[in-house]
Amino acid sequence: SPWKSVLLLLSPPAFSTTCARCAKDRRLRQKRAISERQLTRYFVDQRKVRVVGGQGGGGGHSFYSEPRKVFGGPDGGNGGDGGHVILKADQQMKSLASVFPFYQGFHGERGGSKNCYGANGAHMYVKVPVGTLVKEDGRVVADLTQHGEEYIAAYGGAGGKGNRFFLSNENRAPTLFTPGEPGQERVLHLELKTTAHAGLVGFPNAGKSSLLRAISRAKPAVAAYPFTTLNPHVGIVHYQDYEQVAVADIPGLIKGAHQNRGLGMAFLKHIERCRFLLYVVDLSVPQPWIQLQDLKYELEEYEKGLSEKPCVVIGNKIDLAQSRINLPLLREQVAERVIALSALTGDNLEELLLHLRELYDTYVKREQSRGQSPVKW
């Protein structure tokens, strides 16, 4: 019937990327491509910020006077306190690019006559992404890992005292009043560590960016030379029940990355917050299991226990003849589950997406059993 045809057109297609045609059709809904040079302006994971609290308002200096009551005594009120500078984690923020190098809280108002206190200065709120680490002189002072979490970066100064404050039996007409105190001044280093659910870890040209393009709407640059990706990309994998799994494309690591070779520290810090890891191995190279061993060694040297996170091994480039020869050899050498696929042609992507959901569901149950709320995108 015509109504059945309309319903079929309106119903969403089955979630499947087992063939090249289905994988490529997903790109029709993707955003425009952003080059690595453009992304450097949008994605900033480090920022040096100078914060100064608002200055307190000065105390008032006045004497009450009205007809038939000339000597009414001092009535100068206290000044208002200066506003704080507060860092607030917001899950809508994904980069430190919008953070300015200087912030100052609003000043408090001066105290008025008739014992009127000055208004307090408004607080200055600075939105930062969830996962922002705040450091001062190389020491971690705050770790904003939850949405809405706040940290007072600089306190506002206290307001001054009006001459009413100094009234006493010995001094019935005080003329003394104090100015407001200056706000706290600090220089902080903000460092963003990606809080994606899954992290794609692999050597350069292993196919991580191509894989992220195939399973999400992210558009990282893809080319046939090493270090095409210079900044982490985060792609969102959507499921039919409206769950969203964030997958981060960590730029390629090299041997000695834990010694900061090839910007290794800048890349490795984004792996710390990932809940589970996806090791991407190039099946076309000789002895691909050596790549997995080297990757785990670099992670373990950077942070103890980092390589023990829940993981799966992805054997990429299965469309090549040499890869099909190396696949059974890889499965014999490693104890983890191996998923063979091709990010270029879209072969066997559905197995990865189903297993990715299993890892995500396990993570959610584990966090809920601990009484903690899992990270949502």
Side-chain angles (χ1 to χ4, degrees), residues 63-349:
F63 290 89
Y64 184 74
S65 178
E66 66 177 13
R68 295 183 299 277
K69 192 175 183 182
V70 180
F71 302 103
D75 66 347
N78 298 337
D81 297 333
H84 307 325
V85 179
I86 302 176
L87 303 179
K88 185 173 183 178
D90 189 346
Q91 63 184 6
Q92 300 297 327
M93 305 291 292
K94 304 301 179 184
S95 170
L96 296 174
S98 60
V99 177
F100 296 109
F102 175 74
Y103 288 96
Q104 184 171 23
F106 295 95
H107 302 319
E109 293 186 3
R110 185 179 184 85
S113 59
K114 298 182 181 179
N115 296 321
C116 291
Y117 281 37
N120 294 333
H123 299 319
M124 171 71 72
Y125 285 90
V126 182
K127 291 183 179 181
V128 296
V130 175
T132 300
L133 209 62
V134 184
K135 293 183 178 180
E136 184 179 22
D137 298 328
R139 180 174 54 90
V140 178
V141 295
D143 190 2
L144 306 177
T145 58
Q146 299 292 332
H147 174 69
E149 191 174 357
E150 297 180 359
Y151 172 70
I152 301 178
Y155 286 92
K161 302 298 183 182
N163 62 340
R164 169 74 181 180
F165 179 82
F166 298 98
L167 177 65
S168 65
N169 291 330
E170 291 77 18
N171 188 1
R172 305 303 299 174
T175 59
L176 178 64
F177 63 96
T178 60
E181 297 182 0
Q184 183 184 16
E185 182 174 352
R186 303 170 70 186
V187 177
L188 303 176
H189 293 267
L190 305 184
E191 183 178 304
L192 174 61
K193 295 185 177 181
T194 307
T195 56
H197 299 118
L200 295 173
V201 185
F203 285 108
N205 284 117
K208 301 182 298 299
S209 298
S210 300
L211 181 59
L212 187 65
R213 289 167 66 104
I215 64 177
S216 72
R217 298 182 183 181
K219 296 287 286 186
V222 175
Y225 53 84
F227 294 106
T228 308
T229 304
L230 297 177
N231 299 277
H233 292 255
V234 179
I236 308 300
V237 180
H238 299 268
Y239 290 88
Q240 282 189 340
D241 58 353
Y242 304 105
E243 282 288 354
Q244 298 180 355
V245 180
V247 181
D249 174 17
I250 309 300
L253 303 177
I254 62 173
K255 291 184 179 181
H258 68 279
Q259 299 174 351
N260 208 21
R261 292 181 184 175
L263 295 177
M265 293 296 185
F267 297 164
L268 284 167
K269 68 181 180 182
H270 291 283
I271 305 177
E272 293 183 47
R273 300 293 174 85
C274 295
R275 272 55 184 182
F276 39 89
L277 303 178
L278 309 178
Y279 293 101
V280 182
V281 177
D282 186 356
L283 284 176
S284 63
V285 301
Q287 297 180 339
W289 53 89
I290 301 296
Q291 292 187 9
L292 181 62
Q293 297 174 3
D294 293 338
L295 288 172
K296 288 189 174 183
Y297 174 78
E298 295 298 332
L299 296 183
E300 198 66 25
E301 289 296 316
Y302 175 72
E303 181 181 332
K304 194 71 174 177
L306 191 58
S307 64
E308 299 176 0
K309 289 189 174 185
C311 65
V312 64
V313 180
I314 300 174
N316 194 18
K317 305 181 182 180
I318 193 60
D319 52 307
L320 302 179
Q322 185 62 36
S323 301
R324 297 177 181 178
I325 299 175
N326 293 334
L327 177 59
L329 301 177
L330 175 64
R331 285 175 169 162
E332 292 178 0
Q333 295 291 333
V334 301
E336 295 84 0
R337 178 177 177 177
V338 178
I339 299 178
L341 53 82
S342 174
L344 180 63
T345 63
D347 293 338
N348 204 31
L349 285 180

